[in-house]
Amino acid sequence: GQVPRAVVVRHREIRLSEADLLQHAATVLERHKIPRAIEFVDDIPRSVLGKPQRLQLHSEVFGQGPA
């Protein structure tokens, strides 16, 4: 099965830990939707039209293509 993982863009003025985000997710998401891991990034790669490049993001963050 698939394992939920989250990619979070860092904000220079806000400091949140993975534990903080997981604790919040547990209050607003169903148990099976809570991410098992959270990866922090500086930005999300975007196309010239401004759309997120999901495949590029996935390979940069997780080192492989989506399953």
Side-chain angles (χ1 to χ4, degrees), residues 3-65:
V3 177
R5 299 182 284 189
V7 176
V8 177
V9 178
R10 288 183 189 101
H11 189 280
R12 62 182 165 265
E13 296 176 11
I14 299 173
R15 300 286 181 226
L16 289 174
S17 69
E18 182 176 1
D20 293 333
L21 292 173
L22 289 173
Q23 183 179 9
H24 175 68
T27 65
V28 296
L29 295 175
E30 294 179 32
R31 184 174 170 197
H32 68 279
K33 292 185 178 184
I34 298 171
R36 300 278 193 276
I38 296 178
E39 297 290 332
F40 292 94
V41 296
D42 294 324
D43 62 347
I44 293 177
R46 297 190 178 273
S47 70
V48 293
L49 297 175
K51 295 182 178 181
Q53 296 291 341
R54 294 174 191 211
L55 293 177
Q56 182 180 349
L57 175 65
H58 197 281
S59 66
E60 289 176 6
V61 173
F62 301 115
Q64 59 190 13

